[in-house]
């Protein structure tokens, strides 16, 4: 469900359940979740969200200010790093030992490369079957500008930094690149096909747009 607040468009994650009132939540990824009683009409939900638009925008401004300057990474045992959308102390991701910051950084990058390769290997086949496509190969790469790519000879690449993203965001990039095997550009047919596999793909796009700059070493 989409809503326009001011000059911004947001995707609402609406969850229906046995409850009496509508409630709003904004998570750390600035995603708006609406919990509503079963059978609540869409216009009622949109009206409720609009009624809290001031609170929503203030909350989003606070989150944006907190994220404005990425914190310097601390390459030590208790340094905090993202993996699959959650933060972990460094020693839970790799063996730290008596190594300097540069060695730990290289080891962590290797961890992300290997982890993402395994994740893509596990998750891509189901989407290949849904889309009835098969890439020639895929590779995990380092890129500053792209999360994934698809070449004319059906070779896919995925940015190692995706290992820092939630699983549904990784799935989005996988589906996106597989859809390019059917449609090499971003025409309407491409987005319709992508949406047929992942109807809420705009939420994943929003995540990358807002948090991609923080998914880094």
């Amino acid at each position: 469900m989409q809503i326009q607040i001011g000059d911004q468009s947001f995707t609402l994650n609406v969850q229906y359940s046995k409850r009496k009132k509508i409630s709003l939540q904004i998570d750390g990824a600035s995603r708006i979740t609406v919990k509503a009683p079963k059978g609540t009409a869409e216009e009622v939900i949109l009206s409720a969200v609009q009624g809290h638009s001031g609170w929503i925008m203030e909350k989003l401004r606070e989150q944006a200010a907190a994220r404005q300057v990425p914190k310097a990474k601390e390459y030590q045992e208790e340094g905090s790093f993202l993996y699959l959308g959650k933060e972990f102390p460094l020693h839970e991701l790799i063996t730290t030992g008596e190594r300097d910051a540069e060695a730990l950084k290289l080891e962590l990058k290797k961890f992300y490369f290997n982890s993402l390769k395994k994740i893509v290997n596990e998750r891509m086949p189901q989407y290949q079957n849904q889309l009835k496509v098969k890439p020639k190969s895929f590779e995990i790469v380092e890129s500053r500008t792209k999360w994934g790519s698809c070449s004319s000879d059906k070779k896919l690449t995925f940015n190692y930094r995706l290992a820092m993203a939630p699983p549904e965001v990784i799935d989005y990039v996988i589906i996106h690149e597989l859809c390019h095997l059917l449609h090499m550009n971003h025409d309407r047919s491409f987005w319709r096909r992508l949406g047929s596999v992942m109807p809420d793909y705009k939420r994943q796009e929003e995540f990358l747009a807002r948090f991609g700059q923080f998914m880094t070493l």
Side-chain angles (χ1 to χ4, degrees):
M1 191 179 297
Q2 295 290 123
I3 190 169
Q4 190 78 19
I5 300 178
D7 59 353
Q8 296 186 57
S9 178
F10 297 94
T11 301
L12 302 178
N13 174 31
V14 182
Q15 299 176 358
Y16 296 96
S17 62
K18 291 181 179 180
R19 56 187 297 120
K20 294 182 178 179
K21 297 180 179 180
I22 293 174
S23 68
L24 302 179
Q25 294 179 347
I26 300 178
D27 64 17
S30 298
R31 291 177 289 198
I32 304 172
T33 296
V34 183
K35 295 184 178 181
K38 286 184 178 179
T40 304
E42 182 174 323
E43 56 267 26
V44 174
I45 292 173
L46 293 175
S47 176
V49 175
Q50 285 288 2
H52 290 80
S53 59
W55 174 80
I56 291 171
M57 296 309 295
E58 180 60 28
K59 188 75 172 178
L60 294 176
R61 279 193 291 270
E62 289 175 1
Q63 291 184 348
R67 297 192 301 262
Q68 194 168 8
V69 180
K71 295 179 181 178
K73 302 295 184 181
E74 296 180 6
Y75 288 92
Q76 55 187 14
E77 284 196 2
E78 297 303 322
S80 183
F81 292 87
L82 285 169
Y83 178 57
L84 297 182
K86 298 179 181 179
E87 290 192 339
F88 293 87
L90 183 61
H91 72 268
E92 290 188 12
L93 300 178
I94 63 172
T95 301
T96 52
E98 298 295 326
R99 289 186 284 182
D100 61 22
E102 191 59 32
L104 290 172
K105 182 176 181 179
L106 289 173
E107 185 66 21
L108 184 59
K109 182 182 287 190
K110 182 179 177 181
F111 166 79
Y112 285 134
F113 265 85
N114 292 336
S115 295
L116 186 61
K117 184 175 183 179
K118 181 180 178 181
I119 292 166
V120 174
N121 260 323
E122 291 174 348
R123 302 179 80 87
M124 189 158 62
Q126 62 176 310
Y127 300 120
Q128 289 181 202
N129 291 336
Q130 283 180 258
L131 292 164
K132 295 180 172 55
V133 296
K134 186 174 182 180
K136 186 174 182 180
S137 64
F138 81 86
E139 183 181 7
I140 309 303
V141 300
E142 182 172 2
S143 173
R144 291 185 178 181
T145 59
K146 293 182 178 182
W147 295 110
S149 69
C150 174
S151 67
S152 58
D153 57 354
K154 299 185 177 182
K155 293 180 180 179
L156 309 184
T157 68
F158 299 99
N159 192 325
Y160 82 93
R161 294 189 291 124
L162 281 172
M164 304 177 196
E168 61 269 24
V169 175
I170 298 174
D171 284 353
Y172 162 69
V173 178
I174 291 173
I175 296 166
H176 187 114
E177 300 312 327
L178 287 174
C179 283
H180 276 313
L181 296 174
L182 299 169
H183 308 279
M184 282 303 292
N185 54 20
H186 291 107
D187 59 13
R188 290 183 180 179
S189 296
F190 170 87
W191 293 112
R192 278 199 299 267
R193 197 69 186 95
L194 196 159
S196 71
V197 179
M198 179 175 275
D200 67 341
Y201 70 87
K202 288 187 178 180
R203 291 184 64 203
Q204 322 314 332
E205 287 187 325
E206 288 174 6
F207 182 93
L208 289 173
R210 289 176 176 168
F211 298 100
Q213 63 177 314
F214 302 99
M215 292 161 47
T216 181
L217 296 180

